[in-house]
Amino acid sequence: MVNPPNVREPESRQPAAQVPAQPRPGTRRVGSPLLERGRGLGESWAETRGRLRAAATTEPGRLWIIGTVVAVLVVAFGGITAWEISDRSAAAEDVVSRSQPLSADAASIYRSLADADTAAASGFLAGGQEPLDVRKRYDTDIATASRLLVKAAANTSGSADSAQQIAKINEQLPVYNGLVEQARANNRQGFPVGGAYLRFANQKMTTELLPAAQKLYEAETGRLYEDYGQADTWPYAATVLGLVALGGLVWAQRRNYLRTNRVFNHGLLAATAASTVVVLWLVVGHAVAASDLSTSRSHGQESLKVLNDARISSLQARANENLTLVARGAVLTQDGKDLYEAEFTSEMRTLNAKLGDAAHLADDSAGATPVKSAQADMAAWQDRHATARRTDDSGDYDGALKQVIGATGSTGECFDKVDAALDSALAHEQQEFTSAATDGRDALTGLPVGAAVLAVLAAAGAGLGISRRLAEYR
């Protein structure tokens, strides 16, 4: 039965009103802007991938992708090459112009301090009227050490250890100089206390100044070897990327030949030629630089280090020999022997070993001849020293003094000859180092800029070559 049109259904039969559900606090609605943006990005990326996939199914699309990849490889190769070689070129420049000169200056500081101590003892032994040449030698050594300390302080700002040692030397050097002046003043007046002042000055030199100078030398030499290591490291990333770029270019040209039967694509050929030049320049240039730097290290720096050690040992041996006569047995070792005589013997043993090493490292007659001369003079020095000790032990102090500091026939004469021979050998090895290290640095000159320029040209050539092929499809 059909209800009348104006009759309403009972309330119980009417559907319940739908109340929209309220979201919980802190929840995000399905249609939020953030989610919609994420969907938009995902759809955009999916659309891009779809276009790339569609492009890769056509020859123009493949050519565009190949050209882009090859150009990116070539540009990346040029950039990595410029970066790596710039880093190694800077390290090679530091070897030549910063770290090795600082190492040499540190060795000169040590030598000047040790030589000043030797000159002070020699002048004291000469009596109240110190010889003018000996006094001048002492003053020159102190001035040289002071000047080189100022130079080192200005160039070692990045090394805390070097700065600490320089500060220590600057602090103690005036104290040492004052003790030497006290020794001279008392010696001129004939006061025996002058010898005590001189021994105290020598103690300050050997226990504070020279150890600080040695640490400075070791720190600067360590920085030199760090620069060597950085300059010698092979540019692996640039080499691998260069070979990959060349492989990509060769593959692209072979593909072009197989599809078109055309032997050459001028753009790709130019890009391959430019990339080949960069790879060869990189390999040959760095190999030559590494070889020259290695030569400067093995035949220059290593010889310089040994010769500097030998010269320092000779200076310390001479100072101890003089102090043996100054102290006259007043300072003994724990086993009752003369301390300065024992240290003289130890330093001469070290000198003999260092001269043997220097002779082994010398690679030409110009370097070997002065070392052999130093060895002969050292042997004569030891013989004369033994004679002087026998004379002193027999009670003839004046005779022993003449045999030690006399103008002729003395141990001092032998010491001067050893020092002059070592100075000549050092000058030769320094020249050898400078020549080889400069050649190594110069072998990398222009490579960073050249690699960047050629890489850009190669990328342009690759792009031009691919664009000519794309034009055939229009």
Side-chain angles (χ1 to χ4, degrees):
M1 179 175 180
V2 180
N3 292 326
N6 293 328
V7 178
R8 298 177 60 186
E9 291 186 359
E11 291 291 330
S12 60
R13 299 181 59 184
Q14 290 184 1
Q18 298 295 324
V19 179
Q22 298 296 323
R24 294 180 180 179
T27 60
R28 187 167 57 200
R29 305 180 69 177
V30 176
S32 66
L34 182 62
L35 185 59
E36 292 298 327
R37 190 180 303 114
R39 285 180 176 177
L41 291 175
E43 292 174 357
S44 177
W45 173 239
E47 184 179 354
T48 302
R49 284 188 300 172
R51 290 178 179 177
L52 289 174
R53 191 178 299 110
T57 60
T58 64
E59 182 60 16
R62 294 191 190 100
L63 287 174
W64 183 85
I65 294 173
I66 291 171
T68 301
V69 171
V70 168
V72 169
L73 281 175
V74 171
V75 170
F77 166 49
I80 293 296
T81 300
W83 172 64
E84 286 196 319
I85 297 302
S86 294
D87 181 66
R88 284 146 183 79
S89 181
E93 175 64 29
D94 284 342
V95 167
V96 176
S97 61
R98 184 183 63 86
S99 52
Q100 199 280 331
L102 284 174
S103 175
D105 286 346
S108 295
I109 291 172
Y110 195 115
R111 189 204 67 79
S112 296
L113 293 174
D115 193 59
D117 197 47
T118 299
S122 298
F124 187 91
L125 285 175
Q129 296 298 323
E130 185 176 5
L132 182 60
D133 59 333
V134 176
R135 179 59 185 259
K136 183 178 180 181
R137 181 171 182 170
Y138 173 85
D139 292 339
T140 300
D141 286 332
I142 296 297
T144 299
S146 300
R147 174 178 56 82
L148 292 177
L149 284 169
V150 172
K151 180 181 177 182
N155 290 280
T156 57
S157 57
S159 174
D161 186 43
S162 294
Q164 181 180 1
Q165 303 310 322
I166 291 170
K168 184 175 183 179
I169 297 172
N170 280 325
E171 179 183 351
Q172 295 300 322
L173 187 56
V175 179
Y176 169 82
N177 199 29
L179 291 171
V180 171
E181 291 302 327
Q182 287 283 354
R184 285 170 174 165
N186 283 278
N187 194 35
R188 282 193 296 268
Q189 299 177 63
F191 296 155
V193 74
Y197 275 110
L198 187 65
R199 292 195 300 272
F200 190 29
N202 172 261
Q203 181 181 3
K204 183 165 288 292
M205 176 65 74
T206 55
T207 60
E208 296 185 43
L209 285 167
L210 290 183
Q214 178 68 26
K215 290 179 181 179
L216 175 63
Y217 174 63
E218 291 173 353
E220 296 304 330
T221 302
R223 291 178 64 187
L224 170 61
Y225 288 144
E226 288 177 4
D227 289 336
Y228 263 124
Q230 188 174 357
D232 285 345
T233 304
W234 188 267
Y236 291 105
T239 304
V240 171
L241 197 55
L243 294 176
V244 171
L246 275 178
L249 285 166
V250 171
W251 175 83
Q253 290 179 90
R254 183 174 182 275
R255 181 181 184 278
N256 180 66
Y257 168 73
L258 294 176
R259 288 181 175 272
T260 66
N261 205 30
R262 295 172 182 173
V263 178
F264 296 119
N265 179 293
H266 294 150
L268 291 175
L269 184 63
T272 304
S275 299
T276 302
V277 169
V278 176
V279 170
L280 292 176
W281 193 357
L282 169 67
V283 172
V284 175
H286 192 274
V288 171
S291 176
D292 287 335
L293 288 171
S294 177
T295 299
S296 75
R297 179 171 180 170
S298 60
H299 297 296
Q301 174 57 30
E302 293 299 330
S303 294
L304 286 170
K305 186 176 185 302
V306 170
L307 289 169
N308 278 319
D309 291 342
R311 197 173 192 186
I312 288 168
S313 293
S314 71
L315 288 165
Q316 291 179 337
R318 178 59 178 171
N320 286 314
E321 182 179 45
N322 291 336
L323 286 168
T324 301
L325 293 176
V326 173
R328 306 186 71 173
V331 184
L332 303 177
T333 61
Q334 292 182 351
D335 56 357
K337 296 181 180 179
D338 188 291
L339 174 64
Y340 298 116
E341 177 63 20
E343 291 184 350
F344 169 83
T345 302
S346 176
E347 292 297 343
M348 291 298 283
R349 191 180 299 114
T350 302
L351 173 60
N352 184 51
K354 293 299 180 181
L355 288 177
D357 293 340
H360 177 72
L361 289 171
D363 60 339
D364 55 18
S365 59
T369 299
V371 174
K372 292 179 180 178
S373 177
Q375 289 175 315
D377 293 327
M378 183 201 68
W381 181 3
Q382 288 178 309
D383 291 340
R384 293 182 183 182
H385 176 81
T387 301
R389 293 311 313 145
R390 286 193 296 269
T391 302
D392 188 33
D393 291 339
S394 66
D396 186 2
Y397 176 81
D398 292 335
L401 186 63
K402 184 177 180 180
Q403 291 170 350
V404 171
I405 65 171
T408 59
S410 65
T411 60
E413 183 181 25
C414 293
F415 162 74
D416 289 337
K417 289 182 178 179
V418 170
D419 194 62
L422 290 174
D423 186 64
S424 177
L426 281 165
H428 172 73
E429 296 301 337
Q430 182 65 50
Q431 184 178 3
E432 291 278 296
F433 165 83
T434 302
S435 176
T438 301
D439 289 342
R441 177 197 62 187
D442 293 345
L444 299 176
T445 301
L447 179 53
V449 176
V453 172
L454 287 174
V456 172
L457 293 177
L464 180 62
I466 295 296
S467 65
R468 294 289 298 274
R469 288 281 296 118
L470 285 172
E472 298 174 0
Y473 291 88
R474 295 174 184 171

